[in-house]
Amino acid sequence: MKVSFIMKNKRKIIYVIIPLLIALTIILLHRNNLSKSMDPEIDKKIKAISQKNIYFGHRSVGENIISGLKKIISENVQNGLKIEELKNSSKFEGNYFVHSNIGHNGDPQSKFDEFARIVNNLANKKLDIAMMKLCFVDITKNTNIDDIFKSYVAMVESLQNKYPDLTIIHFSLPLKSKPSLINKMKDIIKGRNNYDPQDNLTKNKFNELLFSKYSKEDIFDLAEVESTYPDGKRESFIVGGEPCYFLIKDYTDDGGHLNEMGQQVVAEKLIIKIYERISLKNAGLNHK
């Protein structure tokens, strides 16, 4: 009887453990596919970037991107690039890559205003490239994206008229992911709603305006990077009868900010974009 009892329990344990091991293996393989190997020429690209003066204005997800950039740079220590907060870079000795938080979340105009002010202040420091991004909380289903976009274009045109040699790299809006069951339950318990698929649809429409106005070469398509798997498939769902892109769940832990995997993927793509933009300008193919 004892032997029979032990054998039955062993079978039960095996029936539980084997599916768990299979599931774990699938998850690990999936994650390895998502965080694919680094661009073999990444060090070359970082070295080229280190020869330019760059400013990046951001908040929130921007901090995630900076973390990803710093990690990649630390793994390629001979590239000469150092990223610093603007407030800590008063001397500006040699070339620089500085960044800072701008404006207030939920108030895009405050970000446009502060970005323009900082770019004006850096003009005498031989600024080559300026970049800014809005956050996923800045554009919701209730946002008048036409007015916000007009304000953005006016700010950009003002800077480009003042500084014709300045390269501005535009960022598409970051996205949110479809929430996990756990995050849905957290929202219910706390009496809040951090997820509305209509918000992502509005972000997608704002990004379409960006591409209708500016050259593809001048845009870092953050939304595309966040929603595209290594095999080219995109994370999309139908919202209001329209296809809508979403942040890949594996790239975030809270549905909006980038985790370590997401940081690496986005940071590497940004390095490639900056390098490509530098190469275009060096070749005399500057888009305005």
Side-chain angles (χ1 to χ4, degrees), residues 48 151 250 285:
S151 294
D250 296 85
L285 302 173

Side-chain angles (χ1 to χ4, degrees), residues 274-285:
I274 297 172
Y275 173 79
E276 289 175 346
R277 197 61 194 79
I278 290 171
S279 299
L280 275 173
K281 190 162 186 176
N282 289 343
L285 302 173

Side-chain angles (χ1 to χ4, degrees), residues 25 33 42-44 65 102-103 106-107 112 117 123 145 150 157-158 198 216 219 224 228 234 277 282:
T25 301
N33 286 333
I42 199 72
D43 194 60
K44 167 189 169 183
I65 297 172
I102 53 173
D107 184 359
F112 302 157
R117 179 183 64 77
I145 57 172
K150 285 177 184 175
E157 289 181 349
S158 174
Q198 292 290 336
K216 184 178 180 181
I219 301 170
E224 181 181 58
T228 304
R234 295 191 72 177
R277 197 61 194 79
N282 289 343

